[in-house]
Amino acid sequence: DTEAMLRGWLEPMLAQHIDALVLGCTHYPIVRPVIERIVGPNVRIIDPAPAIARRVDQLTTQFSITASPEAHGSLTCWTSGDPAVFTVLMHRLELEGVPVRQGIWSEGALTLP
């Protein structure tokens, strides 16, 4: 499903003979291998995420926006898809053990049980 969706977006761009593609959404790096397969080796893929991460680091340092060493947080991920599939993705992101819960779409609204 993801590849079909990406092809629907990318093939019209490829028909215009693009030579570069900027990943402009936070989740595109996750599907970058699929994007690379679709666009081929002649399209340069630009991922701004590393630059944005560096800038966030600069700003949090500049404005002393840091968590105290005693602070403890937690992460729970939600997906509208299959939690088992998302758990495999979490492993690829080196986030093993992070709870993955399923949200349910019904009548245009998302419920997080």
Side-chain angles (χ1 to χ4, degrees):
D1 290 342
T2 301
E3 184 166 347
M5 180 177 59
L6 289 168
R7 283 189 182 281
W9 294 337
L10 295 169
E11 286 176 352
M13 294 181 217
L14 293 170
Q16 296 295 315
H17 307 289
I18 63 168
D19 60 2
L21 179 69
V22 176
L23 303 181
C25 190
T26 57
H27 62 279
Y28 288 157
I30 296 169
V31 293
R32 183 174 178 159
V34 179
I35 292 171
E36 289 173 338
R37 185 170 59 245
I38 294 168
V39 301
N42 295 325
V43 175
R44 180 176 175 217
I45 297 177
I46 301 165
D47 181 1
I52 292 170
R54 285 190 302 273
R55 183 65 178 141
V56 169
D57 182 55
Q58 291 169 352
L59 291 171
T60 56
T61 300
Q62 178 182 344
F63 293 103
S64 300
I65 305 171
T66 59
S68 72
E70 298 81 29
H72 297 282
S74 65
L75 174 63
T76 300
C77 292
W78 293 86
T79 180
S80 58
D82 181 348
V85 172
F86 199 86
T87 299
V88 171
L89 174 61
M90 297 302 290
H91 177 75
R92 286 182 48 209
L93 296 173
E94 299 181 5
L95 294 170
E96 294 89 353
V98 172
V100 177
R101 310 271 187 263
Q102 185 174 33
I104 308 298
W105 282 102
S106 177
E107 298 178 20
L110 181 64
T111 303
L112 303 177

